[in-house]
């Protein structure tokens, strides 16, 4: 008769599994049953409990290399000590504003952003997220121009609140909530003729992502942003550049629009600005735009929690870290390594991989069909690497690791995706035609 010996590790694993199942049940009962099923299907059926640098630890004791980076949030990695320290120090003094007196962290952060931003972006309105930053930009553009309409692009992602959703370029997200804020039209990305043709006497602004993130990590041809700038200048309208995902070093420059030397009239930020510790959004504008928007009524747009002391302390520390550690340059170097490695993966899997592309550490690998992407993500997470597909193009897996990622960690992720694609190709080849 065999004797089964239960080890301490077995006990920990059983407890972790029980804890995960309990939380998953709570998601299904009180948060979002569909989301719970989707996470389980993707292989993310564990509980994240701690994180540091480029790694996330779960309740079961597994350690994952984070190559999603919170969709751009964790540019400094998880729990960067300088940001954590800054937030702790502010927490001990005053975490939230009374909204009656002046407060120093907000003023200092606005000054720092004006220092590093392109062109004459002098003023900043602070909010709590990317979609709020876009909402503010759209409202400011309307009041500053006296016009109502916007030109956006197919495949764009600007958020899911009503105004930013109207500018988002995928019907799947827009249609359930129609009628949305009127006046937004969508033209093909990287097509200057289409953008110019869409502008009329009612147009307030063109809103654009320098790289389409959720659209599938789509990089335009050089000259596209500069061409949009010329179109806006000729028509007397504003250029809004959405750098919620690309801003603060992600693409190898502090701001992605700097690759073409383009300065917008309005610029939106979020994600990386909080240093991976606090949520914060920011809408920057020129003095001319700000005077048109806020002179008559300084409370024409406001936010109770926007620009709170904790978030601004995090933002100040984040910008300092990005500069001190030269993370934009690091993103350019490591991005070249990642893109070269993904091109090698593509060469080995040309039937499954249609394309790889990116700028800095904002990289996508496009599959010939969505099934390959879904199964590959599952295979990667089982190999200890976190990734996800892009919302507006599920055939594309995004790879957006922290900008502090090392060369060895990139090689580790490349091995995982190569093996996961091998597995996906073999698995889907065994399915009858039409089932994949």
């Amino acid at each position: 008769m065999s004797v089964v010996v239960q080890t301490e590790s077995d006990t920990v694993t059983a407890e972790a599994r029980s804890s995960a199942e309990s939380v998953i049940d709570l998601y299904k009962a009180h948060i979002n049953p569909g989301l719970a099923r989707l996470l389980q299907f993707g292989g993310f059926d564990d509980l994240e409990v701690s994180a540091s640098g480029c790694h996330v630890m779960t309740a079961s004791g597994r350690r994952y290399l984070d190559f999603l980076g919170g969709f751009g949030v964790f540019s400094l990695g998880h729990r960067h000590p300088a940001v954590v320290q800054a937030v702790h120090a502010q927490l001990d003094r005053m975490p939230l504003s009374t909204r009656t007196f002046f407060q120093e962290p907000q003023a200092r952060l606005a000054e720092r952003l004006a220092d590093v931003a392109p062109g004459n972006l002098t003023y900043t309105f602070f909010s709590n997220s990317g979609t709020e930053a876009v909402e503010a930009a759209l409202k400011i553009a309307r009041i500053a121009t006296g016009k109502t309409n916007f030109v956006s692009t197919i495949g764009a992602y600007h958020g899911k609140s009503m105004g930013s959703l109207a500018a988002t370029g995928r019907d799947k997200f827009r249609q359930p909530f129609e009628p949305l804020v009127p006046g937004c039209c969508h033209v093909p990305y990287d097509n200057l003729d289409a953008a110019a043709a869409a502008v009329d006497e009612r147009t307030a602004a063109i809103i654009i992502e320098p790289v389409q993130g959720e659209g599938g990590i789509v990089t335009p041809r050089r000259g596209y942003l500069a061409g949009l700038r010329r179109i806006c200048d000729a028509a007397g309208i504003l250029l809004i550049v959405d750098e919620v995902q690309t801003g603060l070093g992600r693409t190898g420059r502090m701001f992605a629009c700097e690759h073409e030397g383009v300065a917008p009239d309005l610029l939106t930020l979020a994600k990386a600005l909080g240093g991976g510790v606090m949520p914060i959004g920011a809408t920057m504008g020129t003095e001319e735009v700000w005077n048109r928007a806020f002179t008559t009524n300084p409370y024409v747009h406001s936010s109770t929690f926007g620009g709170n002391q904790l978030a601004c302390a995090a933002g100040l520390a984040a910008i300092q870290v990005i500069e001190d550690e030269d993370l934009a340059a690091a993103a350019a170097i490591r991005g070249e390594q990642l893109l070269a490695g993904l091109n090698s993966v593509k060469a080995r899997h040309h039937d499954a991989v249609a394309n790889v592309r990116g700028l800095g550490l904002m990289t996508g690998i496009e599959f010939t069909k969505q099934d390959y992407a879904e199964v590959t993500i599952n295979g990667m997470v089982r190999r200890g690497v976190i990734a996800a597909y892009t919302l507006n193009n599920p055939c594309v897996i995004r790879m957006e690791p922290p900008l502090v990622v090392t060369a060895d960690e990139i090689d580790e992720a490349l091995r995982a995706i190569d093996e996961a694609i091998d597995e996906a190709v073999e698995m889907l080849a065994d399915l009858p035609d039409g089932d994949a």
Side-chain angles (χ1 to χ4, degrees):
M1 182 178 67
S2 61
V3 178
V4 177
V5 179
Q6 187 177 40
T7 66
E8 182 179 351
S9 176
D10 293 332
T11 303
V12 170
T13 301
E15 290 176 351
R17 188 179 302 112
S18 175
S19 179
E21 290 173 354
S22 174
V23 170
I24 291 168
D25 287 342
L26 290 174
Y27 263 68
K28 292 177 178 177
H30 300 294
I31 297 179
N32 188 326
L35 176 61
R37 289 192 294 270
L38 183 62
L39 291 175
Q40 286 181 293
F41 175 78
F44 298 95
D45 53 351
D46 205 343
L47 304 183
E48 56 185 20
V49 294
S50 63
S52 180
C54 293
H55 291 89
V56 175
M57 279 61 74
T58 64
S60 65
R62 288 206 64 184
R63 185 171 182 259
Y64 292 88
L65 178 60
D66 186 359
F67 253 61
L68 177 59
F71 306 93
V73 168
F74 298 109
S75 287
L76 278 61
H78 294 268
R79 292 193 307 113
H80 192 288
V83 183
V84 171
Q85 181 181 7
V87 172
H88 268 300
Q90 183 60 52
L91 180 63
D92 289 338
R93 292 191 295 270
M94 187 176 188
L96 292 176
S97 171
T98 65
R99 312 305 299 183
T100 54
F101 295 99
F102 294 98
Q103 58 114 329
E104 185 174 3
Q106 182 174 186
R108 297 298 181 197
L109 180 55
E111 178 188 38
R112 289 293 284 123
L113 285 171
D115 288 342
V116 300
N120 298 315
L121 295 170
T122 305
Y123 290 90
T124 300
F125 174 85
F126 290 106
S127 54
N128 310 283
S129 65
T131 193
E132 290 176 68
V134 171
E135 290 284 345
L138 298 177
K139 289 179 67 178
I140 291 167
R142 278 188 166 184
I143 196 170
T145 63
K147 300 176 182 180
T148 59
N149 291 7
F150 298 92
V151 177
S152 184
T153 55
I154 297 167
Y157 184 88
H158 298 293
K160 289 178 180 170
S161 52
M162 292 298 277
S164 60
L165 183 58
T168 289
R170 192 179 183 200
D171 290 341
K172 178 178 180 179
F173 296 120
R174 294 202 315 267
Q175 285 178 347
F177 302 100
E178 291 177 342
L180 298 170
V181 175
C184 283
C185 70
H186 299 84
V187 299
Y189 190 69
D190 197 18
N191 187 321
L192 289 174
D193 290 339
V199 173
D200 61 25
E201 68 280 359
R202 298 167 298 173
T203 304
I206 294 175
I207 180 168
I208 197 72
E209 297 165 282
V211 178
Q212 280 196 336
E214 304 303 339
I217 315 298
V218 181
T219 56
R221 289 167 292 182
R222 186 162 185 83
Y224 178 58
L225 292 183
L228 292 178
R229 178 72 275 178
R230 289 192 298 271
I231 291 169
C232 290
D233 290 342
I237 64 174
L238 305 182
L239 177 63
I240 304 171
V241 174
D242 183 343
E243 296 242 16
V244 165
Q245 194 165 162
T246 55
L248 301 175
R250 170 60 54 185
T251 67
R253 300 291 295 269
M254 184 65 87
F255 299 92
C257 61
E258 292 178 320
H259 286 283
E260 290 195 24
V262 169
D265 302 292
L266 290 162
L267 182 144
T268 61
L269 291 170
K271 296 190 184 294
L273 183 57
V277 175
M278 291 297 299
I280 183 172
T283 306
M284 302 192 69
T286 65
E287 182 177 10
E288 180 183 6
V289 168
W290 232 247
N291 286 341
R292 291 182 191 173
F294 290 101
T295 297
T296 302
N297 179 3
Y299 282 109
V300 71
H301 188 68
S302 60
S303 169
T304 300
F305 293 113
N308 68 77
Q309 284 96 321
L310 288 180
C312 290
L316 281 164
I319 292 173
Q320 196 63 50
V321 168
I322 291 167
E323 291 185 331
D324 289 348
E325 299 185 13
D326 203 4
L327 293 186
I333 294 168
R334 295 278 74 85
E336 288 181 4
Q337 177 192 354
L338 179 57
L339 198 61
L342 289 175
N343 272 307
S344 296
V345 170
K346 176 190 172 186
R348 289 191 293 275
H349 302 285
H350 55 86
D351 289 337
V353 179
N355 193 16
V356 298
R357 53 183 175 263
L359 190 62
L361 281 173
M362 189 172 180
T363 308
I365 179 165
E366 183 170 8
F367 291 85
T368 54
K369 56 186 177 182
Q370 183 176 335
D371 302 271
Y372 284 134
E374 292 175 349
V375 177
T376 297
I377 290 169
N378 184 281
M380 289 178 70
V381 74
R382 284 187 283 105
R383 289 167 174 81
V385 178
I386 300 170
Y389 56 74
T390 57
L391 287 179
N392 285 348
N393 188 347
C395 287
V396 177
I397 292 180
R398 58 169 6 114
M399 303 190 83
E400 296 183 49
L403 308 187
V404 297
V405 68
T406 66
D408 287 344
E409 288 166 340
I410 286 178
D411 286 340
E412 178 185 345
L414 288 168
R415 285 192 297 272
I417 195 168
D418 195 23
E419 293 173 6
I421 294 172
D422 268 335
E423 185 177 74
V425 169
E426 182 178 356
M427 180 185 303
L428 295 173
D430 291 337
L431 293 177
D433 289 342
D435 288 351

